[in-house]
Amino acid sequence: MTIAVTRQGVPVNKTSHPHAPGDTAPDGAVPDRVVPDGAAPDGTVRYLRIGDLELESGARLPDVTLGYETWGTLNEDRSNAVLIEHALTGDTHVTRGASEEPGWWEQLAGPGAPVDTDRYFVVSINILGGCYGSTGPSTQAPDGKPWGSRFPLVTLRDTTEAEARLADALGIRSWYAVLGGSLGGARALEWAVSYPDRVRHCAVISVGAASTAEQIAFAQAQTLAIRQDPNFNGGDYYGGPEPEAGLALARRIAHITYRSAAELDGRFGRNAQDAEAPLEAGSLAGRGRYQVESYLDHQGNKLVRRFDANSYIAITEALMSHDISRGRGALAEALAPATAEFLLAAVDSDRLYFPAQSHALAAALPGDVVVHTIEAPIGHDGFLTEIGQLNSQLRRHFFG
């Protein structure tokens, strides 16, 4: 079953199903049937039930729902479908569509953009375990209570299998292209290897072939920050105080890795925050903040208002699972089945996913794959803010 709701007017919240099957849908929703192509405005959140999912861990997740949005029109031979995968705490709203709400990758997708929604049928899917429409820890389990601590570990291979079922339901046998950055790039790569006959072009941006030990270490610090919050309650905090301090701390840790040292120093230096005085406090507990501390506080508080802590853990651990060669032999052997044309890119100042990882991936892929450089002093987040630097490459190689 798919439910369609216009994104405009839907409040930001931290539940997996703001208008899930069984809930009261907003005016204009279409319950109990699959929404036909073109029946809902572009940039509309829809929900599709894909059935039970057997996970890589051996666990079974029943009655899975995926939230997704589409833009444009699927052509008659269904050859113009493009999948854009969001990053860690992203959502499905890649570009505006019918609403006035800005998308997070409008330099990449939209009317006249490299992924031109007047030519291509663009799809974005909320990752399994998320809190923007897909089954996740805050979703009701079969007993009517939120999954919470009982939500199983999902890997990127599990999320790809779920997305393949959604593609089947939409009648998409193969994607013209699958694109993504960071976690989204890992998802795109998994698609190209797990379903090589279903991906014609694949853009993998700001991520390597596997999460390294250092990246897992950063991720563990984030998930532990949430788990050690007194309100976490083992993951069963729904209906009571939420682990907001832990989630905000996790975001602070993550955001330090998303930005470069030069960007932080150039932007904030050692400056105090407004009237606060870090060196004039009468006690440690009462000292003022440096500007960079205020900035991290702001980033943490923003995420708390829009994201579920358990989903943060679930998706972070899915990214920790990223290893394209796991169980598939050496890296070149694992990548050999991929038949897509690849485009790789890395941010030159990235200190989370180093450009060297993209080059190692390119060297192991079939054929002669070039790594394009995004020049951005800010660090890892340059894959979002400076994606326009790849416009000519994307048009020339994929969307010309």
Side-chain angles (χ1 to χ4, degrees):
M1 176 180 70
T2 297
I3 292 179
V5 297
T6 56
R7 190 178 179 84
Q8 205 170 19
V10 175
V12 173
N13 58 57
K14 295 184 285 186
T15 61
S16 289
H17 298 283
H19 301 288
D23 290 349
T24 301
D27 293 341
V30 184
D32 298 320
R33 64 182 178 87
V34 172
V35 176
D37 294 341
D42 284 0
T44 294
V45 181
R46 310 181 191 188
Y47 304 96
L48 179 69
R49 295 171 67 174
I50 63 168
D52 299 352
L53 197 63
E54 299 294 332
L55 304 177
E56 198 177 358
S57 67
R60 175 176 163 274
L61 192 58
D63 195 20
V64 172
T65 295
L66 293 182
Y68 70 104
E69 295 185 40
T70 69
W71 299 260
T73 302
L74 191 61
N75 61 13
E76 187 174 350
D77 64 2
R78 300 178 184 267
S79 62
N80 69 333
V82 175
L83 176 62
I84 298 180
E85 302 277 35
H86 68 75
L88 187 74
T89 60
D91 61 18
T92 56
H93 201 57
V94 175
T95 191
R96 291 172 195 260
S99 80
E100 291 303 313
E101 182 180 353
W104 51 266
W105 234 5
E106 294 199 344
Q107 294 182 67
L108 177 73
V115 186
D116 190 343
T117 50
D118 290 334
R119 296 178 55 199
Y120 296 97
F121 180 64
V122 177
V123 181
S124 183
I125 306 170
N126 182 231
I127 193 170
L128 184 66
C131 55
Y132 286 119
S134 294
T135 295
S138 59
T139 305
Q140 286 187 357
D143 63 1
K145 300 177 181 178
W147 277 100
S149 63
R150 300 172 296 165
F151 191 77
L153 172 72
V154 295
T155 68
L156 293 192
R157 295 184 191 177
D158 296 326
T159 69
T160 304
E161 180 183 346
E163 291 171 5
R165 292 194 194 178
L166 187 145
D168 291 340
L170 295 179
I172 299 169
R173 174 56 194 156
S174 69
W175 298 103
Y176 178 82
V178 183
L179 306 90
S182 193
L183 169 64
R187 296 166 69 186
L189 181 62
E190 191 63 54
W191 253 103
V193 173
S194 292
Y195 298 96
D197 60 335
R198 302 190 69 167
V199 181
R200 294 167 59 190
H201 303 83
C202 183
V204 181
I205 304 168
S206 297
V207 74
S211 292
T212 66
E214 181 181 56
Q215 289 150 7
I216 292 171
F218 281 131
Q220 190 258 8
Q222 295 166 49
T223 59
L224 193 59
I226 297 171
R227 289 186 166 111
Q228 290 188 339
D229 187 301
N231 292 331
F232 183 62
N233 194 31
D236 296 316
Y237 52 80
Y238 301 109
E242 298 187 5
E244 294 183 350
L247 178 57
L249 177 56
R251 184 62 165 186
R252 290 179 179 88
I253 296 167
H255 207 78
I256 293 168
T257 71
Y258 298 159
R259 298 299 174 117
S260 69
E263 196 261 347
L264 293 176
D265 193 54
R267 186 173 175 183
F268 304 110
R270 293 187 48 79
N271 296 323
Q273 173 63 18
D274 295 335
E276 299 183 34
L279 300 180
E280 297 178 10
S283 66
L284 290 176
R287 77 162 179 84
R289 297 171 298 171
Y290 294 96
Q291 283 184 3
V292 70
E293 293 178 293
S294 174
Y295 170 71
L296 293 175
D297 290 346
H298 173 68
Q299 295 299 327
N301 292 333
K302 275 204 313 183
L303 187 71
V304 163
R305 292 194 296 268
R306 69 174 181 87
F307 215 80
D308 176 58
N310 273 328
S311 279
Y312 193 97
I313 292 174
I315 300 171
T316 298
E317 295 196 348
L319 181 55
M320 291 165 74
S321 80
H322 172 50
D323 180 1
I324 205 66
S325 63
R326 185 178 68 253
R328 293 168 170 159
L331 181 57
E333 181 183 358
L335 296 170
T339 58
E341 179 182 352
F342 281 88
L343 187 151
L344 268 59
V347 177
D348 58 358
S349 59
D350 197 336
R351 61 174 176 177
L352 177 58
Y353 290 95
F354 294 103
Q357 291 178 257
S358 296
H359 286 279
L361 173 58
L365 281 165
D368 185 15
V369 179
V370 175
V371 178
H372 301 280
T373 299
I374 298 173
E375 297 180 353
I378 68 171
H380 181 67
D381 274 355
F383 85 89
L384 287 171
T385 63
E386 301 298 329
I387 190 63
Q389 292 185 28
L390 298 182
N391 281 2
S392 61
Q393 291 91 341
L394 287 166
R395 292 182 191 277
R396 183 167 65 250
H397 295 290
F398 284 14
F399 302 106

